[in-house]
Amino acid sequence: MHLFALFAAAALQFTPQTIATDLKGGYQVIAVDMNKDGKPDLLALASGVSELVWYENPAWQRHVIVSDVKRMINVWPMDVDKDGVPELLLAHAFENEAARSVGIVSYLHFDGKGWTMREIDRLTTSHRLRSANGLFINSPLTGASAVAPEYRDHTPLVAYAPGDFQRRQISVEDEGVVHGIFIHDWNRDGLDDVLTASFKGIWVNLAHRDGTWTRQQISAGDPAPWPKSGSSDVTVGHLRKERFLAAIEPWHGNQVSIYRYHRKEWQRQVIDDSLTDGHTIHAADFDGDGRDEILVGTRQGGRGVYLYRELKGAWTRQVISEGVVAAAGCAVADFNGDKKPDIACIGSTTANLVLWSQR
C-alpha cells in the first residue's frame, strides 16, 4: 500500500549520467573534494572489488587510492593535517556474521605522491564510519556474539582520535543490528552528537565537553516484535524552522517514516510502506524553498531512487529512477556549480555509479 499523497507538486527535473559500471557490490559513495580544487568529487566504495577509488569532477576521471583490500564496507574522509586533502578511515574484512568478520579499521594518508595505509584497530563487524568533534566514529553492525536472525548482543559504538588512534568507548548499550548512524548537533550546544538506528529504535549519543557521552532514546521505531523492530537508517531535516527526522524502517526495511515533535514527543508517521530493501536516506532542500526533501534509495524490488516532498501537510513521492541502480548508497551535493543539489548513487547488484544533475 502506498501511504504517500497521490497529488504532487511540479516534478523536479534531473539529467542522468553514468560514471562507472564496474563497481561490483557497490555500497557507499561520498561527495568530497579530493584534490583541493573546490569541487566535490566522488569517493566510491564497492565490497566486491579490491580497489578503493575516487572520480574527479568534472570529467570524472578514475583514480585508485589503494588496491588489494578485501571486503570493504565503509570509508570516511576527514582532513586531519589540514593540507586540503582528506585523510580516510576505512573499514574492511567485513562479514554480516560476527563470527567470520575480522572488522579491520585502517587509516589512509596522502603524502603528496601517493597513499599510505596502516591498520589501527580490529573490531568485529566494523560497519559505519563517520567523524564528529575531530574524532573518527566507528559503529559496528552487531556485537561480537550476535547470531542471525535475533542478533542478540550489545553493539559497541567507539571513537578514535587522530594521532594515537586508541579506541575510545562511546556506548555499549545498543542491541541487535545497528545499521545506520547520523552526525547532528541534537541539543544545539555546538558539539556533534551521534544518532543511531537499530533494532532498539532511534537513539542519540550526546557529546560533552569533558569527553564523556550520554545516551537518550528518541523513538522505538517500528513497533513490530524483535527482530523486525526499530530503525535501519536515519537522517535529520528541516521544514523551515521545524526539525524532523526521516528513517527507513525496519532493518533493510519497506517503510519511510517521518518523526515530528508534537505534544512533547516524536510522533511517527509512515509515509510509504512499499519499499524493498531500503538502504540509504538523506534530507536536503532540492527546490530551494527552505523545506527539505527526503531522498531514499532501495537495493531490490524496483531498485528505485525516490524523492519525498511535504506539501500542505502531506508527503508526495517523485520517482527519480527505477530499475537503473540498486541504490545501496547515495550522496547529495552541487556537483556542477549551479547552486542546485544533485544526486549520486552507487548500485550493489547493478555495480554502477550514476549522477543525476538537477536541471
Side-chain angles (χ1 to χ4, degrees), residues 281-297:
I281 190 166
H282 299 265
D285 184 5
F286 283 89
D287 57 9
D289 67 352
R291 304 166 67 84
D292 286 341
E293 286 72 46
I294 304 162
L295 177 72
V296 171

Side-chain angles (χ1 to χ4, degrees), residues 127-252:
H127 180 253
R128 288 286 181 266
L129 303 177
R130 299 292 186 268
S131 60
N133 307 313
L135 304 171
F136 283 109
I137 307 297
N138 180 9
S139 175
L141 184 71
T142 70
S145 301
V147 177
E150 294 284 323
Y151 296 99
R152 294 278 185 182
D153 193 14
H154 287 271
T155 309
L157 179 67
V158 305
Y160 310 100
D164 63 21
F165 283 107
Q166 294 298 307
R167 187 195 301 171
R168 292 162 164 80
Q169 180 178 300
I170 296 175
S171 171
V172 291
E173 296 176 52
D174 222 327
E175 296 181 70
V177 170
V178 181
H179 187 259
I181 65 174
F182 186 78
I183 309 302
H184 175 71
D185 182 2
W186 183 253
N187 56 1
R188 300 183 176 93
D189 66 350
L191 295 177
D192 296 325
D193 306 308
V194 184
L195 278 69
T196 62
S198 72
F199 282 4
K200 293 193 73 175
I202 302 170
W203 293 71
V204 59
N205 298 271
L206 297 168
H208 302 289
R209 298 192 184 279
D210 62 359
T212 62
W213 300 78
T214 55
R215 175 175 154 89
Q216 298 176 1
Q217 187 174 38
I218 297 172
S219 170
D222 190 319
W226 186 293
K228 299 295 185 182
S229 60
S231 292
S232 185
D233 295 274
V234 64
T235 189
V236 176
H238 293 83
L239 299 172
R240 295 193 174 92
K241 294 183 178 181
E242 179 192 355
R243 180 170 61 178
F244 72 91
L245 292 93
I248 294 172
E249 296 174 336
W251 180 33
H252 293 170

Side-chain angles (χ1 to χ4, degrees), residues 95-115:
E95 300 290 343
N96 274 338
E97 298 176 35
R100 297 194 302 116
S101 182
V102 180
I104 300 175
V105 182
S106 295
Y107 180 68
L108 284 69
H109 171 74
F110 185 73
D111 63 6
K113 297 179 180 179
W115 290 87

